[in-house]
Amino acid sequence: MRFGLFFTFLVIFFTAGSFAQQIRTTVKFKQPDIRAKLSNPNVHIIFQDSQGFMWIGTDDGLNRFDGYGYKIYRNVPGDSTSLVKNRIQCIFEDSRGTLWVSTIVQGLHHYDRRSDTFKRITEFSQQGTQIMDILEDRTGNIWLGGIDKNQTFIARIDQKTGQCKRHDLLSTIDHIYTMLQVSDEELWLGTRTNGLYSWNIKTEQLAEKGRNEIAIQRYRKTAC
């Protein structure tokens, strides 16, 4: 009796193992050809928002991937709820869940999830105004870094009041390319060719890092 049970167990064990081996050898996974579905193969930025959507910015359009397929957003001539330009520079989501998208040469937008459209931020959607980076500070203010023609600038948007203050920094074709908050009162600003700077939020002074960190001057500020 015991031998019979043991024999039955061995038969089941090896049969199951053989079946599992068969499954392992017959089931295959195929990586999807993303390039065939994206609006453009030149990808500048990839961002996942709080709802799980993957946003992929390319040279020709913004792509939203929901796990099944892509939806492509581009400029539509005559449609003010579309992107200003098609080349995507920056994608950012703030603590309120608002998605910000900037485009090369001109264009800054809020994405409206309900209507699946974009709201253009007029002050930063003029020809020659490029927003290269977007940051939210520890108090909930939004900072924009970029260039307006030959003038680099940063701008702070108070999300509670909606007020915007712009600070013109350097007269150069270089731009503020990246930003990081390192303390409650200090931002670090990186440029492509002009080095690293720090911005004092309280005193509104700029200092060049690595050169004795001497404040250069108090910079002109204007309302956006």
Side-chain angles (χ1 to χ4, degrees):
M1 182 66 178
R2 291 181 179 179
F3 177 80
L5 290 174
F6 179 74
F7 180 80
T8 302
F9 172 79
L10 289 178
V11 170
I12 294 174
F13 177 82
F14 285 108
T15 301
S18 176
F19 181 72
Q21 180 65 30
Q22 183 179 3
I23 293 177
R24 286 195 296 270
T25 57
T26 57
V27 175
K28 296 181 180 180
F29 294 91
K30 182 179 180 181
Q31 184 177 9
D33 186 1
I34 298 178
R35 293 174 299 175
K37 298 180 180 180
L38 287 175
S39 59
N40 186 274
N42 297 323
V43 175
H44 288 277
I45 184 169
I46 304 171
F47 182 85
Q48 184 174 26
D49 68 20
S50 58
Q51 297 188 11
F53 291 107
M54 299 294 293
W55 296 85
I56 304 165
T58 74
D59 268 350
D60 184 25
L62 177 65
N63 302 254
R64 186 187 70 184
F65 182 63
D66 61 3
Y68 300 95
Y70 293 86
K71 179 167 185 179
I72 299 171
Y73 301 87
R74 288 191 177 99
N75 172 261
V76 178
D79 184 357
S80 62
T81 65
S82 68
L83 297 172
V84 176
K85 297 290 183 180
N86 291 328
R87 190 178 180 189
I88 309 303
Q89 169 61 35
C90 184
I91 306 171
F92 176 79
E93 184 179 24
D94 63 32
S95 59
R96 300 185 178 192
T98 301
L99 198 71
W100 302 66
V101 178
S102 70
T103 48
I104 295 291
V105 180
Q106 69 179 114
L108 178 65
H109 322 73
H110 288 160
Y111 174 62
D112 188 325
R113 297 182 187 273
R114 292 184 178 181
S115 61
D116 194 26
T117 59
F118 291 89
K119 178 183 178 181
R120 299 174 180 180
I121 312 301
T122 305
E123 302 91 322
F124 301 102
S125 294
Q126 306 303 314
Q127 182 67 31
T129 303
Q130 299 185 59
I131 303 300
M132 308 305 292
D133 196 21
I134 305 172
L135 175 147
E136 182 174 3
D137 68 22
R138 297 172 187 177
T139 59
N141 296 311
I142 297 296
W143 290 84
L144 310 173
I147 187 168
D148 185 359
K149 301 178 178 65
N150 293 332
Q151 183 72 61
T152 62
F153 71 88
I154 56 174
R156 184 183 68 182
I157 300 175
D158 187 325
Q159 294 213 89
K160 296 179 181 178
T161 65
Q163 293 182 339
C164 176
K165 184 187 293 184
R166 169 174 156 169
H167 303 272
D168 291 334
L169 303 180
L170 306 170
S171 295
T172 173
I173 59 174
D174 199 0
H175 48 248
I176 303 299
Y177 192 72
T178 184
M179 301 182 292
L180 176 70
Q181 184 172 17
V182 296
S183 70
D184 290 342
E185 296 184 356
E186 186 180 13
L187 301 178
W188 280 19
L189 313 174
T191 66
R192 272 194 184 274
T193 60
N194 284 316
L196 178 66
Y197 296 84
S198 66
W199 176 258
N200 190 297
I201 298 172
K202 185 177 181 180
T203 64
E204 297 181 344
Q205 289 185 321
L206 188 73
E208 189 171 5
K209 305 294 289 184
R211 295 191 181 181
N212 298 323
E213 301 188 15
I214 300 175
I216 300 174
Q217 66 182 64
R218 191 179 181 90
Y219 284 83
R220 182 170 64 90
K221 60 182 178 181
T222 58
C224 298

